[in-house]
């Protein structure tokens, strides 16, 4: 893979969007490679958390590739949006938690990639914006839907209609990111969070992510039914049995095996 670097250590995998000369802009090849990498990794039960970041010091991802979009017909543009959305859905529905480590510009498609992740942290260099309406288009990789769901309609209207850049302190206030870290420590901090997640019961973690993620698209009644199924599935695992038994016997909870 030329554009996606994969680093796998212990139970954590990091994907780095690696096209720094173009500020990691998402052309078709980058998008396809990202999709393929996720597709390959999603069946690996040893993975317990995923980190996504951008190569270089300037950008997480500076958007979808404008050069590739410039000449699209309306029909081709709709298909491109569908393709981008399928990649973002692959991120959102990746079976284990995905953490975006936003190290610089997260513009347009880059903001949308971060929004498709479950957790977002950012360095002080991060800048979030939706420049699209200033280029004669709308966000097309899920931004109109995910930002409104995450941060509310007011923030979605504000950022998408004005295109203004948001610095990390405001992104934190708006609930777009969870934490701000020094640029030098950003990826290490993302791994620290990933490893905290990885220490916990793997099946329970996957089911918890599924319940939250799927619940976002459901009514409360349907979401609660989804939660009940996820909760029930945890009781098929040795990890649940052993952890609860250790607790009741006042013994240390043994490391989780994912079974
Ligand atoms: N699509 C295609 N190429 C992009 C890109 C994008 N979204 N974002 C950056 N690049 C390319 C630039 O064309 C440039 O390539 P070149 O060296 O071959 O000319 C390279 O990345 C570096 O960017 P440059 O614009 O020279 O850096 P800068 O520091 O002057 O500005 C940005 C940085 C991020 C402000 C500016 O690149 C920008 O506005 N990018 C587009 C952001 C955007 O609108 N994204 C949403 C698209 S819908």
């Amino acid at each position: 893979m030329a554009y996606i670097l994969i680093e796998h250590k212990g139970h954590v995998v990091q994907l780095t969007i690696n096209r720094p000369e173009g500020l990691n802009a998402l052309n078709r090849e980058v998008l396809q490679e990202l999709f393929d990498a996720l597709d390959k990794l999603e069946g690996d039960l040893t993975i317990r958390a995923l980190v996504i970041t951008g190569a270089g010091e300037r950008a997480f991802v500076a958007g979808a590739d404008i050069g590739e979009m410039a000449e699209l017909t309306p029909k081709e543009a709709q298909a491109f949006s569908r393709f981008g959305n399928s990649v973002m859905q692959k991120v959102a529905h990746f079976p284990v938690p995905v953490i975006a480590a936003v190290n610089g510009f997260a513009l347009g498609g880059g903001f949308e990639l971060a929004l498709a992740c479950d957790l977002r942290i950012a360095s002080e260099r991060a800048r979030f914006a939706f420049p699209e309406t200033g280029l004669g288009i709308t966000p097309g990789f899920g931004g109109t839907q995910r930002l409104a769901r995450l941060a509310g309609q007011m923030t979605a209207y504000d950022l998408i209609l004005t295109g203004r850049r948001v610095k990390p302190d405001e992104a934190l206030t708006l609930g777009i990111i969870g934490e701000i870290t020094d640029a030098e420590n950003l990826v290490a901090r993302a791994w620290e969070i990933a490893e905290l997640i990885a220490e916990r019961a793997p099946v329970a973690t996957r089911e918890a992510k599924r319940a939250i993620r799927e619940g976002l698209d459901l009514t409360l009644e349907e979401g609660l039914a989804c939660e009940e199924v996820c909760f029930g599935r945890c009781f098929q695992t040795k990890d649940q049995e052993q952890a609860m038994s250790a607790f009741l016997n006042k013994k240390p909870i043994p490391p989780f095996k994912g079974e």
Side-chain angles (χ1 to χ4, degrees):
M1 287 203 170
Y3 289 128
I4 306 293
L5 306 178
I6 304 177
E7 198 180 330
H8 193 162
K9 211 167 89 198
H11 294 300
V12 179
V13 174
Q14 178 178 320
L15 299 184
T16 304
I17 316 290
N18 184 37
R19 195 192 171 203
E21 69 291 350
L23 300 183
N24 304 321
L26 301 172
N27 62 19
R28 280 173 202 281
E29 268 180 277
V30 178
L31 285 166
Q32 188 63 54
E33 281 193 20
L34 179 57
F35 185 94
D36 292 345
L38 293 163
D39 197 57
K40 200 172 125 209
L41 294 168
E42 70 187 7
D44 184 341
L45 291 175
T46 67
I47 299 173
R48 298 185 185 180
L50 181 73
V51 172
I52 298 184
T53 194
E57 296 190 342
R58 300 200 54 222
F60 175 67
V61 166
D65 192 301
I66 299 170
E68 277 195 353
M69 290 190 290
E71 304 290 335
L72 296 179
T73 65
K75 220 172 159 187
E76 287 167 346
Q78 193 176 340
F80 185 61
S81 173
R82 193 174 315 121
F83 174 49
N85 274 333
S86 72
V87 180
M88 299 306 149
Q89 284 289 72
K90 196 84 170 163
V91 175
H93 291 281
F94 194 72
V96 302
V98 183
I99 303 161
V102 180
N103 52 312
F105 289 117
L107 308 178
F111 196 170
E112 289 167 310
L113 175 59
L115 289 170
C117 298
D118 305 307
L119 294 162
R120 281 161 294 284
I121 63 168
S123 80
E124 69 274 1
R125 291 198 202 124
R127 296 291 180 274
F128 298 88
F130 278 113
E132 280 89 341
T133 53
L135 287 165
I137 63 172
T138 64
F141 293 176
T144 58
Q145 304 307 301
R146 288 204 172 88
L147 185 58
R149 281 167 169 76
L150 176 73
Q153 289 177 45
M154 183 65 195
T155 298
Y157 283 125
D158 173 10
L159 301 193
I160 291 170
L161 301 181
T162 67
R164 71 183 179 84
R165 280 193 197 161
V166 170
K167 292 185 179 166
D169 52 351
E170 188 186 359
L172 189 65
T173 307
L174 292 172
I176 290 169
I177 58 170
E179 197 174 310
I180 306 170
T181 313
D182 295 343
E184 314 79 71
N185 297 323
L186 177 73
V187 170
R189 176 62 189 142
W191 275 73
E192 210 171 87
I193 297 168
E195 276 156 7
L196 266 182
I197 292 169
E199 281 170 14
R200 305 177 75 79
V203 173
T205 299
R206 286 169 178 250
E207 293 298 337
K209 167 167 174 171
R210 193 197 311 262
I212 298 170
R213 175 67 65 196
E214 291 185 10
L216 287 169
D217 299 328
L218 301 172
T219 64
L220 179 62
E221 281 298 322
E222 291 164 343
L224 294 174
C226 171
E227 184 185 76
E228 290 156 15
V229 172
C230 294
F231 182 75
R233 275 200 287 254
C234 298
F235 289 76
Q236 296 168 343
T237 64
K238 282 196 194 125
D239 281 340
Q240 172 271 330
E241 200 183 306
Q242 288 174 358
M244 288 193 171
S245 155
F247 176 83
L248 292 173
N249 290 306
K250 305 202 182 301
K251 292 200 173 129
I253 292 177
F256 293 110
K257 296 198 181 105
E259 299 167 354

